[in-house]
Amino acid sequence: MRLIDLHRLTGTAILTFVIAATSLLSELPASAAPVPDSAASAGQGGGDYDQQLKAALALEKQGRQAEASAIYRALATDYPHRYEACHRLGVLADGEKQHLEAQRWFTRAFRLNQEDPELLADMGRCLLRQEKWALAAAALERAVRLAPGDAESERNLRAAYAHLSATNHLSSESARTRVPDSQSPAPPRVELSAEPELPIASSAAVRPMAAD
């Protein structure tokens, strides 16, 4: 399958995505929300990171999101160089339709790990729900390149392309091309700039896709 013209979409979209990711980091609260005593004690030494993360994931699967969230927040505070807890906080916030908060957590996780296709897919879905088509396309294109064959990511990427085409942000020729496949070149590593030099491009108001 043929790639879209990277100079016409991907380069600009990824640059916009990187700028947005950097600026959103400054919007994160200086301190996390209050954490229950049990979760706080777990974060301060009740086992290593992986054990606590596993416990929080189990709670999440049981539908005990508040308890899982408390542990994730403690982990995000106590282990600032690990991204998984931030990723899960983004998923939980997105599930509660708190999309901007979810985007902030996804952004924080993305800054720590740019190679996780599941994180990029979740971030892309969150951006679609906010009608941020160019940013969503950048995240989802990278997700598909890193994990070709993910049907949901490919479907969401096509939806992002369609919205961009409808709002004249993507040429009709590029819009007809298909998503990257396993033969596509490996995605370049995206480096976040500490000082954005360009404004964040705004998204046009187009009917959002049914991503839920």
Side-chain angles (χ1 to χ4, degrees), residues 165-182:
S165 178
T167 55
N168 297 319
H169 290 145
L170 180 64
S171 71
S172 57
E173 179 182 357
S174 294
R176 288 194 296 270
T177 62
R178 303 181 68 182
V179 299
D181 61 13
S182 59

Side-chain angles (χ1 to χ4, degrees), residues 29-36 39-40 69-74 77 89 101 105 108:
S31 59
V35 176
S69 178
I71 295 176
Y72 290 141
R73 286 178 180 272
T77 299
L89 285 167
E101 179 182 350
W105 284 114
R108 183 166 163 180

Side-chain angles (χ1 to χ4, degrees), residues 100-163:
L100 183 56
E101 179 182 350
Q103 185 178 347
R104 291 168 179 165
W105 284 114
F106 287 141
T107 296
R108 183 166 163 180
F110 172 77
R111 186 168 189 176
L112 296 169
N113 187 342
Q114 300 174 24
E115 309 300 324
D116 185 339
E118 183 178 352
L119 167 60
L120 289 159
D122 290 336
M123 178 183 280
R125 188 184 309 111
C126 175
L127 291 164
L128 280 179
R129 288 168 175 163
Q130 298 177 74
E131 304 181 16
K132 298 176 179 177
W133 314 124
L135 302 183
L140 290 164
E141 183 173 295
R142 187 170 180 81
V144 169
R145 285 170 176 263
L146 289 167
D150 184 335
E152 182 179 359
S153 290
E154 290 181 356
R155 182 172 62 251
N156 287 342
L157 178 56
R158 290 190 181 95
Y161 284 166
H163 284 298

Side-chain angles (χ1 to χ4, degrees), residues 1 4 11 17 31 34 43 52 57 61 66 91 95 101 144 166 171 176 197:
M1 290 180 283
I4 65 169
F17 174 59
S31 59
Q52 295 171 58
L57 287 168
K61 290 180 180 179
V91 171
E101 179 182 350
V144 169
S171 71
R176 288 194 296 270
E197 297 178 358

Side-chain angles (χ1 to χ4, degrees), residues 90 92-103 126:
L92 291 179
D94 203 40
E96 295 294 326
K97 301 187 185 304
Q98 299 175 11
H99 302 310
L100 183 56
E101 179 182 350
Q103 185 178 347
C126 175

